[in-house]
Amino acid sequence: MEKTGIYINAKDIKGRIAPQIYGNFSEHLGRCIYEGIYVGENSAIPNTRGIRNDIVKAFQNIKLPVLRWPGGCFADEYHWKDGIGEKSSRKKMINTNWGGVVEDNSFGTHEFFDLCEQIGCEPYLAGNLGSGTVNELAEWIEYITFDGVSPMAQLRRENGREKPWRLKYLGIGNENWGCGGNMRAEYYADEYRRYQSFCKDFSGNRLFKIACGPNADDWGWTEVMMKNLGSWHAQGLSLHYYTVPSGNWDKKGSARDFTDEEYYETMRKTLYMETLLTRHGQIMDRYDPDRRIGLVVDEWGCWYDVEEGTHPGFLYQQNTMRDALVAACNLNIFNSHCDRVVMANIAQAVNVLQAVILTEGAGMVLTPTYHVFDLYKEHQGAQSVYCYTDTAQAGGKIPAVSASASVKDGVMTLTVANCSLEEDTEITADIAGFDALSADGRLLCAPIKALNDFDSPQNVVIKPFTDISTVDGKVKFTVPSCAVAAVTVKGK
Ligand code: AHR
């Protein structure tokens, strides 16, 4: 049994953990929107105005704070006017990025805002800069948010929505260094400035504008963007980083069939998020020392080869305890960088990449990744506090334990992932600045390749975790190998 020391100082506050760090991303890709979220009003699957009731309930349970839509690469080919009005007359288009399938636009602006209202989360729109026009994006904002008399507000009313919606988060383009136009940073920065000028704050609505940021460790992109963005032009800069186990995009590795070595390599790669946030943060600090521009990690997660027999363009993959550990480590990293990271959106919500939920017909499966979001939900809106972990190495490659701590309403939440495949670890959490009185917890623990599927949806589930002692301000408990724990510590 290993021993791990976690040193927490509740008086040393990093900042507030934006609830939006626990966001999701949903794209018109494979079976994410259609089948996964939207089945249409005439479906036998229980739904409200075409939106699956089971999905809404599952997202409510993890307190999903924000949902990004409609892409991804799809966003820079999306023309929002094709997705409003009478469904039967909506334009059909080719989804060129994702399998060349027909997109019938039956899920559009009204349906997306309805989805967010049903869940109780904030909408985050990715606007089309790559193949759209400034006017098209400006009109979308007017359509959604303007309360007065104007052509777009009138059109919205004709389509059945009298009052405007509230829209805060607006991305202006997606991956414009790649699928969003293959632009150079200098060119995109100018385009961004032009587009954002015409995205107005109407009727008391205030936009939080997010510029396209770097791909992984493209430090140069961040440098150019920061040089050219004043905090009056943008409030956020995005970052995309996918964990690809092999590092080879042509043969990424299997989601469910992997060796221990491949597992540790996946973890090593995912922990690179720490370096990315630190170094992009340092570049941003030089231009924006007051941290008025937030980092928005609006695509992150594991990207494997698609499941055998599935459409290669649909990016459907299973999700194991490995993914749970990846999610747990990334969320701990985001918590500890909450002074710069203001939002993160796992890719993706349903049936795509590191999905939080999988569906098959009327069936729905909550993945191990979903359960991590459930375990961590009390961090949302809490104060992130100093948390240092003194831990052994695992697999010769990574620190065995990853942890983060936060305080909200006099209650501390400590989340701990034991990434070792071999050793349980006895944790002693030494807490300064907080009189720990009692503690209890919840635990997600299963073999590394364990997963939930439609035959066995309850293989990997959260269990109560009660073997926790609190003595002289120290909280002690043992986290088994390959497990994620959330410990709630009550103060005196
Ligand atoms: O999430 C899948 C794709 O990955 C997104 O469409 C794109 O932004 C990224 O390359």
Side-chain angles (χ1 to χ4, degrees), residues 355-372:
V356 174
I357 301 175
L358 302 175
T359 67
E360 211 174 81
M364 181 185 81
V365 157
L366 305 176
T367 65
T369 297
Y370 174 94
H371 292 304
V372 172

mmCIF file with all atom_site columns, all heavy atoms in Angstrom, residues 355-372:
data_model
loop_
_atom_site.group_PDB
_atom_site.id
_atom_site.type_symbol
_atom_site.label_atom_id
_atom_site.label_alt_id
_atom_site.label_comp_id
_atom_site.label_asym_id
_atom_site.label_entity_id
_atom_site.label_seq_id
_atom_site.pdbx_PDB_ins_code
_atom_site.Cartn_x
_atom_site.Cartn_y
_atom_site.Cartn_z
_atom_site.occupancy
_atom_site.B_iso_or_equiv
_atom_site.pdbx_formal_charge
_atom_site.auth_seq_id
_atom_site.auth_comp_id
_atom_site.auth_asym_id
_atom_site.auth_atom_id
_atom_site.pdbx_PDB_model_num
ATOM 1   N N   . ALA A 1 355 ? -17.675 10.447 -24.734 1.00 0.00 ? 355 ALA A N   1
ATOM 2   C CA  . ALA A 1 355 ? -19.061 10.827 -24.449 1.00 0.00 ? 355 ALA A CA  1
ATOM 3   C C   . ALA A 1 355 ? -19.397 10.636 -22.975 1.00 0.00 ? 355 ALA A C   1
ATOM 4   O O   . ALA A 1 355 ? -18.979 9.681  -22.332 1.00 0.00 ? 355 ALA A O   1
ATOM 5   C CB  . ALA A 1 355 ? -20.002 10.014 -25.307 1.00 0.00 ? 355 ALA A CB  1
ATOM 6   N N   . VAL A 1 356 ? -20.186 11.550 -22.505 1.00 0.00 ? 356 VAL A N   1
ATOM 7   C CA  . VAL A 1 356 ? -20.674 11.498 -21.141 1.00 0.00 ? 356 VAL A CA  1
ATOM 8   C C   . VAL A 1 356 ? -21.853 10.508 -21.075 1.00 0.00 ? 356 VAL A C   1
ATOM 9   O O   . VAL A 1 356 ? -22.045 9.812  -20.083 1.00 0.00 ? 356 VAL A O   1
ATOM 10  C CB  . VAL A 1 356 ? -21.067 12.947 -20.734 1.00 0.00 ? 356 VAL A CB  1
ATOM 11  C CG1 . VAL A 1 356 ? -21.730 13.015 -19.392 1.00 0.00 ? 356 VAL A CG1 1
ATOM 12  C CG2 . VAL A 1 356 ? -19.825 13.834 -20.768 1.00 0.00 ? 356 VAL A CG2 1
ATOM 13  N N   . ILE A 1 357 ? -22.594 10.452 -22.183 1.00 0.00 ? 357 ILE A N   1
ATOM 14  C CA  . ILE A 1 357 ? -23.754 9.559  -22.269 1.00 0.00 ? 357 ILE A CA  1
ATOM 15  C C   . ILE A 1 357 ? -23.739 8.843  -23.618 1.00 0.00 ? 357 ILE A C   1
ATOM 16  O O   . ILE A 1 357 ? -23.355 9.431  -24.630 1.00 0.00 ? 357 ILE A O   1
ATOM 17  C CB  . ILE A 1 357 ? -25.065 10.383 -22.142 1.00 0.00 ? 357 ILE A CB  1
ATOM 18  C CG1 . ILE A 1 357 ? -25.103 11.139 -20.798 1.00 0.00 ? 357 ILE A CG1 1
ATOM 19  C CG2 . ILE A 1 357 ? -26.294 9.501  -22.285 1.00 0.00 ? 357 ILE A CG2 1
ATOM 20  C CD1 . ILE A 1 357 ? -26.294 12.070 -20.636 1.00 0.00 ? 357 ILE A CD1 1
ATOM 21  N N   . LEU A 1 358 ? -24.160 7.566  -23.596 1.00 0.00 ? 358 LEU A N   1
ATOM 22  C CA  . LEU A 1 358 ? -24.337 6.821  -24.847 1.00 0.00 ? 358 LEU A CA  1
ATOM 23  C C   . LEU A 1 358 ? -25.805 6.437  -24.982 1.00 0.00 ? 358 LEU A C   1
ATOM 24  O O   . LEU A 1 358 ? -26.477 6.177  -23.974 1.00 0.00 ? 358 LEU A O   1
ATOM 25  C CB  . LEU A 1 358 ? -23.494 5.539  -24.837 1.00 0.00 ? 358 LEU A CB  1
ATOM 26  C CG  . LEU A 1 358 ? -21.972 5.702  -24.644 1.00 0.00 ? 358 LEU A CG  1
ATOM 27  C CD1 . LEU A 1 358 ? -21.298 4.333  -24.534 1.00 0.00 ? 358 LEU A CD1 1
ATOM 28  C CD2 . LEU A 1 358 ? -21.358 6.504  -25.789 1.00 0.00 ? 358 LEU A CD2 1
ATOM 29  N N   . THR A 1 359 ? -26.281 6.385  -26.232 1.00 0.00 ? 359 THR A N   1
ATOM 30  C CA  . THR A 1 359 ? -27.661 5.931  -26.438 1.00 0.00 ? 359 THR A CA  1
ATOM 31  C C   . THR A 1 359 ? -27.692 4.883  -27.545 1.00 0.00 ? 359 THR A C   1
ATOM 32  O O   . THR A 1 359 ? -26.809 4.853  -28.414 1.00 0.00 ? 359 THR A O   1
ATOM 33  C CB  . THR A 1 359 ? -28.604 7.086  -26.860 1.00 0.00 ? 359 THR A CB  1
ATOM 34  O OG1 . THR A 1 359 ? -28.225 7.536  -28.164 1.00 0.00 ? 359 THR A OG1 1
ATOM 35  C CG2 . THR A 1 359 ? -28.579 8.241  -25.880 1.00 0.00 ? 359 THR A CG2 1
ATOM 36  N N   . GLU A 1 360 ? -28.710 4.052  -27.474 1.00 0.00 ? 360 GLU A N   1
ATOM 37  C CA  . GLU A 1 360 ? -28.981 3.090  -28.543 1.00 0.00 ? 360 GLU A CA  1
ATOM 38  C C   . GLU A 1 360 ? -30.487 2.940  -28.560 1.00 0.00 ? 360 GLU A C   1
ATOM 39  O O   . GLU A 1 360 ? -31.052 2.405  -27.594 1.00 0.00 ? 360 GLU A O   1
ATOM 40  C CB  . GLU A 1 360 ? -28.308 1.754  -28.196 1.00 0.00 ? 360 GLU A CB  1
ATOM 41  C CG  . GLU A 1 360 ? -27.856 0.967  -29.403 1.00 0.00 ? 360 GLU A CG  1
ATOM 42  C CD  . GLU A 1 360 ? -27.066 -0.263 -28.968 1.00 0.00 ? 360 GLU A CD  1
ATOM 43  O OE1 . GLU A 1 360 ? -27.709 -1.267 -28.595 1.00 0.00 ? 360 GLU A OE1 1
ATOM 44  O OE2 . GLU A 1 360 ? -25.830 -0.200 -28.949 1.00 0.00 ? 360 GLU A OE2 1
ATOM 45  N N   . GLY A 1 361 ? -31.152 3.443  -29.583 1.00 0.00 ? 361 GLY A N   1
ATOM 46  C CA  . GLY A 1 361 ? -32.617 3.455  -29.575 1.00 0.00 ? 361 GLY A CA  1
ATOM 47  C C   . GLY A 1 361 ? -33.098 4.150  -28.328 1.00 0.00 ? 361 GLY A C   1
ATOM 48  O O   . GLY A 1 361 ? -32.646 5.250  -27.980 1.00 0.00 ? 361 GLY A O   1
ATOM 49  N N   . ALA A 1 362 ? -33.998 3.460  -27.600 1.00 0.00 ? 362 ALA A N   1
ATOM 50  C CA  . ALA A 1 362 ? -34.547 4.068  -26.379 1.00 0.00 ? 362 ALA A CA  1
ATOM 51  C C   . ALA A 1 362 ? -33.600 3.908  -25.190 1.00 0.00 ? 362 ALA A C   1
ATOM 52  O O   . ALA A 1 362 ? -33.819 4.486  -24.127 1.00 0.00 ? 362 ALA A O   1
ATOM 53  C CB  . ALA A 1 362 ? -35.895 3.425  -26.054 1.00 0.00 ? 362 ALA A CB  1
ATOM 54  N N   . GLY A 1 363 ? -32.549 3.110  -25.377 1.00 0.00 ? 363 GLY A N   1
ATOM 55  C CA  . GLY A 1 363 ? -31.633 2.844  -24.252 1.00 0.00 ? 363 GLY A CA  1
ATOM 56  C C   . GLY A 1 363 ? -30.663 3.998  -24.018 1.00 0.00 ? 363 GLY A C   1
ATOM 57  O O   . GLY A 1 363 ? -30.252 4.683  -24.966 1.00 0.00 ? 363 GLY A O   1
ATOM 58  N N   . MET A 1 364 ? -30.302 4.183  -22.764 1.00 0.00 ? 364 MET A N   1
ATOM 59  C CA  . MET A 1 364 ? -29.324 5.226  -22.433 1.00 0.00 ? 364 MET A CA  1
ATOM 60  C C   . MET A 1 364 ? -28.347 4.661  -21.402 1.00 0.00 ? 364 MET A C   1
ATOM 61  O O   . MET A 1 364 ? -28.766 3.991  -20.456 1.00 0.00 ? 364 MET A O   1
ATOM 62  C CB  . MET A 1 364 ? -30.035 6.446  -21.852 1.00 0.00 ? 364 MET A CB  1
ATOM 63  C CG  . MET A 1 364 ? -29.078 7.569  -21.516 1.00 0.00 ? 364 MET A CG  1
ATOM 64  S SD  . MET A 1 364 ? -29.853 8.965  -20.709 1.00 0.00 ? 364 MET A SD  1
ATOM 65  C CE  . MET A 1 364 ? -29.928 8.373  -19.030 1.00 0.00 ? 364 MET A CE  1
ATOM 66  N N   . VAL A 1 365 ? -27.074 4.941  -21.590 1.00 0.00 ? 365 VAL A N   1
ATOM 67  C CA  . VAL A 1 365 ? -26.046 4.464  -20.666 1.00 0.00 ? 365 VAL A CA  1
ATOM 68  C C   . VAL A 1 365 ? -25.245 5.666  -20.172 1.00 0.00 ? 365 VAL A C   1
ATOM 69  O O   . VAL A 1 365 ? -24.827 6.510  -20.954 1.00 0.00 ? 365 VAL A O   1
ATOM 70  C CB  . VAL A 1 365 ? -25.122 3.462  -21.407 1.00 0.00 ? 365 VAL A CB  1
ATOM 71  C CG1 . VAL A 1 365 ? -23.776 3.361  -20.727 1.00 0.00 ? 365 VAL A CG1 1
ATOM 72  C CG2 . VAL A 1 365 ? -25.773 2.095  -21.482 1.00 0.00 ? 365 VAL A CG2 1
ATOM 73  N N   . LEU A 1 366 ? -25.054 5.735  -18.880 1.00 0.00 ? 366 LEU A N   1
ATOM 74  C CA  . LEU A 1 366 ? -24.211 6.777  -18.297 1.00 0.00 ? 366 LEU A CA  1
ATOM 75  C C   . LEU A 1 366 ? -22.804 6.210  -18.248 1.00 0.00 ? 366 LEU A C   1
ATOM 76  O O   . LEU A 1 366 ? -22.575 5.144  -17.663 1.00 0.00 ? 366 LEU A O   1
ATOM 77  C CB  . LEU A 1 366 ? -24.708 7.140  -16.896 1.00 0.00 ? 366 LEU A CB  1
ATOM 78  C CG  . LEU A 1 366 ? -26.179 7.553  -16.812 1.00 0.00 ? 366 LEU A CG  1
ATOM 79  C CD1 . LEU A 1 366 ? -26.603 7.786  -15.365 1.00 0.00 ? 366 LEU A CD1 1
ATOM 80  C CD2 . LEU A 1 366 ? -26.441 8.805  -17.645 1.00 0.00 ? 366 LEU A CD2 1
ATOM 81  N N   . THR A 1 367 ? -21.860 6.894  -18.857 1.00 0.00 ? 367 THR A N   1
ATOM 82  C CA  . THR A 1 367 ? -20.498 6.342  -18.942 1.00 0.00 ? 367 THR A CA  1
ATOM 83  C C   . THR A 1 367 ? -19.738 6.610  -17.636 1.00 0.00 ? 367 THR A C   1
ATOM 84  O O   . THR A 1 367 ? -20.127 7.465  -16.837 1.00 0.00 ? 367 THR A O   1
ATOM 85  C CB  . THR A 1 367 ? -19.727 6.998  -20.112 1.00 0.00 ? 367 THR A CB  1
ATOM 86  O OG1 . THR A 1 367 ? -19.557 8.385  -19.808 1.00 0.00 ? 367 THR A OG1 1
ATOM 87  C CG2 . THR A 1 367 ? -20.447 6.836  -21.431 1.00 0.00 ? 367 THR A CG2 1
ATOM 88  N N   . PRO A 1 368 ? -18.602 5.926  -17.437 1.00 0.00 ? 368 PRO A N   1
ATOM 89  C CA  . PRO A 1 368 ? -17.757 6.245  -16.273 1.00 0.00 ? 368 PRO A CA  1
ATOM 90  C C   . PRO A 1 368 ? -17.407 7.739  -16.229 1.00 0.00 ? 368 PRO A C   1
ATOM 91  O O   . PRO A 1 368 ? -17.319 8.338  -15.162 1.00 0.00 ? 368 PRO A O   1
ATOM 92  C CB  . PRO A 1 368 ? -16.525 5.362  -16.495 1.00 0.00 ? 368 PRO A CB  1
ATOM 93  C CG  . PRO A 1 368 ? -17.059 4.181  -17.265 1.00 0.00 ? 368 PRO A CG  1
ATOM 94  C CD  . PRO A 1 368 ? -18.116 4.734  -18.167 1.00 0.00 ? 368 PRO A CD  1
ATOM 95  N N   . THR A 1 369 ? -17.231 8.351  -17.401 1.00 0.00 ? 369 THR A N   1
ATOM 96  C CA  . THR A 1 369 ? -16.939 9.797  -17.442 1.00 0.00 ? 369 THR A CA  1
ATOM 97  C C   . THR A 1 369 ? -18.095 10.595 -16.840 1.00 0.00 ? 369 THR A C   1
ATOM 98  O O   . THR A 1 369 ? -17.882 11.565 -16.103 1.00 0.00 ? 369 THR A O   1
ATOM 99  C CB  . THR A 1 369 ? -16.680 10.233 -18.910 1.00 0.00 ? 369 THR A CB  1
ATOM 100 O OG1 . THR A 1 369 ? -15.520 9.536  -19.387 1.00 0.00 ? 369 THR A OG1 1
ATOM 101 C CG2 . THR A 1 369 ? -16.463 11.729 -19.020 1.00 0.00 ? 369 THR A CG2 1
ATOM 102 N N   . TYR A 1 370 ? -19.321 10.178 -17.146 1.00 0.00 ? 370 TYR A N   1
ATOM 103 C CA  . TYR A 1 370 ? -20.491 10.858 -16.565 1.00 0.00 ? 370 TYR A CA  1
ATOM 104 C C   . TYR A 1 370 ? -20.406 10.848 -15.038 1.00 0.00 ? 370 TYR A C   1
ATOM 105 O O   . TYR A 1 370 ? -20.648 11.851 -14.367 1.00 0.00 ? 370 TYR A O   1
ATOM 106 C CB  . TYR A 1 370 ? -21.778 10.146 -17.014 1.00 0.00 ? 370 TYR A CB  1
ATOM 107 C CG  . TYR A 1 370 ? -23.045 10.692 -16.357 1.00 0.00 ? 370 TYR A CG  1
ATOM 108 C CD1 . TYR A 1 370 ? -23.803 11.681 -16.981 1.00 0.00 ? 370 TYR A CD1 1
ATOM 109 C CD2 . TYR A 1 370 ? -23.479 10.221 -15.104 1.00 0.00 ? 370 TYR A CD2 1
ATOM 110 C CE1 . TYR A 1 370 ? -24.946 12.202 -16.380 1.00 0.00 ? 370 TYR A CE1 1
ATOM 111 C CE2 . TYR A 1 370 ? -24.615 10.736 -14.502 1.00 0.00 ? 370 TYR A CE2 1
ATOM 112 C CZ  . TYR A 1 370 ? -25.347 11.720 -15.142 1.00 0.00 ? 370 TYR A CZ  1
ATOM 113 O OH  . TYR A 1 370 ? -26.477 12.229 -14.538 1.00 0.00 ? 370 TYR A OH  1
ATOM 114 N N   . HIS A 1 371 ? -20.042 9.688  -14.510 1.00 0.00 ? 371 HIS A N   1
ATOM 115 C CA  . HIS A 1 371 ? -20.029 9.560  -13.045 1.00 0.00 ? 371 HIS A CA  1
ATOM 116 C C   . HIS A 1 371 ? -18.972 10.464 -12.403 1.00 0.00 ? 371 HIS A C   1
ATOM 117 O O   . HIS A 1 371 ? -19.136 10.901 -11.270 1.00 0.00 ? 371 HIS A O   1
ATOM 118 C CB  . HIS A 1 371 ? -19.836 8.094  -12.642 1.00 0.00 ? 371 HIS A CB  1
ATOM 119 C CG  . HIS A 1 371 ? -21.023 7.253  -13.011 1.00 0.00 ? 371 HIS A CG  1
ATOM 120 N ND1 . HIS A 1 371 ? -22.306 7.548  -12.571 1.00 0.00 ? 371 HIS A ND1 1
ATOM 121 C CD2 . HIS A 1 371 ? -21.149 6.152  -13.786 1.00 0.00 ? 371 HIS A CD2 1
ATOM 122 C CE1 . HIS A 1 371 ? -23.152 6.661  -13.056 1.00 0.00 ? 371 HIS A CE1 1
ATOM 123 N NE2 . HIS A 1 371 ? -22.480 5.805  -13.799 1.00 0.00 ? 371 HIS A NE2 1
ATOM 124 N N   . VAL A 1 372 ? -17.903 10.740 -13.144 1.00 0.00 ? 372 VAL A N   1
ATOM 125 C CA  . VAL A 1 372 ? -16.904 11.688 -12.607 1.00 0.00 ? 372 VAL A CA  1
ATOM 126 C C   . VAL A 1 372 ? -17.511 13.091 -12.538 1.00 0.00 ? 372 VAL A C   1
ATOM 127 O O   . VAL A 1 372 ? -17.346 13.807 -11.543 1.00 0.00 ? 372 VAL A O   1
ATOM 128 C CB  . VAL A 1 372 ? -15.614 11.652 -13.454 1.00 0.00 ? 372 VAL A CB  1
ATOM 129 C CG1 . VAL A 1 372 ? -14.657 12.758 -13.034 1.00 0.00 ? 372 VAL A CG1 1
ATOM 130 C CG2 . VAL A 1 372 ? -14.946 10.290 -13.323 1.00 0.00 ? 372 VAL A CG2 1
#
